[in-house]
Amino acid sequence: MSIAVRRLAPGDITLIRDLNRLFGRAFEDTDSYGAAPPGDAYLTDLLAKEHVFVIVAFYGEDVAGGLVAYGLDKIEQARREVYLYDLAVDAPHRRKGVATALIAHLRTVCGGTVIFVQADPGDEAALALYAGLGEREDVHHFDIPVSVEV
């Protein structure tokens, strides 16, 4: 059986909801991905944005995996960098090339000069995948709250 991959469009509400459930299982965070799901209008608008990439892989009829990435248009040159925010493959479909196929599809549709992604220390599968596709940079990651007064 082969892997089919495609970017979701505004009418793919059921598929984006399936993908969110998959993310919740894969990241063991069903609350973040399922407790307060956005409405159909929000998801339709999100999927219509040119700089938002929601890509799903199918293994037969099943949603086997997916990714969400965001285009960041730069000001120093007329170019785009892409941040791959979420990528997950459902447990029964791992080690079948699904993640590689998702990233390959993102490369063809994103219009970017580089795709960057972060991976958690200890996530050996993700680290191996990304190391096979690009260069590693050692950087620090900071979450800066928006609602706190400075």
Side-chain angles (χ1 to χ4, degrees):
M1 189 174 302
S2 64
I3 302 165
V5 180
R6 75 173 176 88
R7 182 177 181 182
L8 297 188
D12 291 323
I13 301 302
T14 300
L15 290 174
I16 198 169
R17 293 194 187 287
D18 290 345
L19 180 59
N20 263 339
R21 283 189 289 278
L22 185 152
F23 284 157
R25 288 190 307 274
F27 301 140
E28 297 178 357
D29 190 4
T30 54
D31 283 347
S32 291
Y33 288 91
D40 290 357
Y42 176 88
L43 294 174
T44 298
D45 182 56
L46 185 73
L47 291 171
K49 294 180 187 295
E50 184 266 333
H51 69 282
V52 176
F53 306 93
V54 181
I55 300 173
V56 173
F58 301 90
Y59 202 77
E61 300 281 322
D62 298 332
V63 173
L67 67 76
V68 178
Y70 303 94
L72 305 169
D73 296 329
K74 306 295 286 182
I75 64 167
E76 76 279 2
Q77 293 181 25
R79 66 180 185 166
R80 169 181 285 169
E81 294 180 356
V82 177
Y83 179 53
L84 198 169
Y85 187 79
D86 277 330
L87 185 150
V89 177
D90 215 5
H93 302 291
R94 292 183 184 147
R95 312 296 304 160
K96 297 178 182 176
V98 174
T100 302
L102 287 163
I103 293 171
H105 193 75
L106 178 61
R107 283 173 153 166
T108 67
V109 299
C110 72
T113 57
V114 67
I115 298 168
F116 62 100
V117 61
Q118 63 190 48
D120 295 325
D123 188 346
E124 297 305 322
L127 293 170
L129 171 68
Y130 302 139
L133 296 172
E135 286 185 36
R136 178 181 170 161
E137 292 184 19
D138 289 322
V139 298
H140 297 281
H141 169 100
F142 299 90
D143 290 333
I144 301 171
V146 174
S147 60
V148 176
E149 289 186 30
V150 179

